[in-house]
Amino acid sequence: MEFTMFERLLQLPLFQGMTTQEVSEVMSHVRLDFANYHRGDEIVMQGESCRKLIYIISGEVMAEHRNASLQLLLTEHLPDLKVIEPFNLFGMYQTYSRTYTFNTAGCTLAIDKRVLLSHLMTNNIVKINFMNIVCNKYQQTERLLCHFPDDTVQHKIVRFVLSHSIIPKGRKDVQIKMTQLANILHETRLNVSIALNEMQEQGAIRLQRGSFIVNDIQELAKVLAVEN
């Protein structure tokens, strides 16, 4: 059992490129906080102080984000999520931007920020891996947004969803009134309604009362970019 858990540590992005001996040396003086969860259990809440590096060891997670005006509730399904918002450990706003909940039973590994700085960051490989994790998140979203036009209402809708997403791929459940979405996009309600219905006819989204579901935002963005 200990060997299996150690293997999982080696697979975490923070320790990629390190040997078993190197990880053992780095972790010898570090406390590892493992926690088990049931389906529906909350890991962290939006607005809560980000003081730990939290890894998802097993299980599938979803994230919910509410904007400041409470007009938008965006739910993302994140079956491949490995770490929760490492980029918010530092900077001006050191709080979680979303509420994270397990969709299945799962397990997490939490490393205190003070331990990360005093012990783990003294290792150059760990330091580089952490910087890569943070930079990759920014670059993935930025590249998709920069290369994706916004000259149609459909494009604006996709860019809106992407700009509020934690990752630029996968399923997104967007709860927002059409009038509010139209105001945000500086479009008429009619234009937004037409665009959403066209996207549903294309099989790209599913419309529901007061919300719509994007099956895969990355694939939708690629299709609309090509059509443009």
Side-chain angles (χ1 to χ4, degrees), residues 2-226:
E2 292 181 359
F3 180 72
T4 301
M5 188 56 69
F6 200 79
E7 282 186 321
R8 290 181 178 178
L9 288 177
L10 288 172
Q11 294 173 358
L12 296 179
L14 196 64
F15 306 120
Q16 286 183 358
M18 299 179 68
T19 65
T20 302
Q21 182 178 353
E22 287 173 330
V23 174
S24 179
E25 290 175 357
V26 169
M27 303 304 291
S28 60
H29 302 293
V30 175
R31 177 182 173 181
L32 301 179
D33 293 324
F34 291 96
N36 294 312
Y37 293 82
H38 297 98
R39 179 180 181 181
D41 284 350
E42 192 175 87
I43 308 170
V44 295
M45 286 185 62
Q46 180 174 338
E48 183 181 331
S49 181
C50 184
R51 298 177 180 175
K52 296 180 179 180
L53 186 63
I54 302 177
Y55 277 101
I56 308 299
I57 299 297
S58 64
E60 296 185 2
V61 172
M62 71 176 185
E64 290 187 343
H65 169 70
R66 291 185 183 273
N67 66 352
S69 62
L70 302 181
Q71 294 177 329
L72 167 70
L73 172 60
L74 176 68
T75 302
E76 299 182 74
H77 299 262
L78 310 169
D80 300 323
L81 184 69
K82 300 299 182 185
V83 60
I84 296 180
E85 301 190 14
F87 40 85
N88 283 334
L89 278 169
F90 306 98
M92 292 180 61
Y93 307 105
Q94 298 179 25
T95 57
Y96 292 106
S97 64
R98 286 152 178 77
T99 296
Y100 292 83
T101 307
F102 267 107
N103 262 339
T104 63
C107 175
T108 64
L109 161 63
I111 302 174
D112 189 271
K113 177 180 177 179
R114 292 169 296 181
V115 173
L116 179 69
L117 289 172
S118 62
H119 293 286
L120 299 186
M121 286 298 192
T122 59
N123 182 281
N124 287 332
I125 296 179
V126 172
K127 192 181 299 181
I128 291 172
N129 284 338
F130 183 83
M131 288 190 293
N132 282 334
I133 292 169
V134 175
C135 292
N136 285 343
K137 191 275 176 184
Y138 171 80
Q139 291 172 356
Q140 287 173 357
T141 303
E142 187 69 12
R143 287 187 64 184
L144 193 51
L145 287 172
C146 287
H147 289 84
F148 193 69
D150 62 352
D151 52 357
T152 71
V153 181
Q154 289 188 356
H155 291 155
K156 289 182 178 180
I157 292 172
V158 175
R159 285 180 63 90
F160 169 77
V161 176
L162 285 172
S163 67
H164 289 84
S165 299
I166 196 73
I167 59 171
K169 63 179 180 179
R171 173 177 164 176
K172 317 291 178 185
D173 298 2
V174 186
Q175 184 177 320
I176 188 171
K177 293 181 179 179
M178 201 171 297
T179 302
Q180 294 171 337
L181 180 58
N183 290 336
I184 292 171
L185 300 180
H186 303 290
E187 292 285 347
T188 66
R189 185 186 184 284
L190 177 60
N191 285 345
V192 171
S193 176
I194 291 173
L196 288 171
N197 278 281
E198 288 177 347
M199 293 165 77
Q200 178 168 250
E201 291 174 2
Q202 296 165 351
I205 68 170
R206 284 183 287 141
L207 288 174
Q208 297 181 344
R209 184 175 180 83
S211 66
F212 60 93
I213 297 173
V214 181
N215 297 321
D216 190 325
I217 191 69
Q218 191 173 43
E219 292 304 314
L220 172 59
K222 288 179 182 178
V223 169
L224 293 181
V226 170

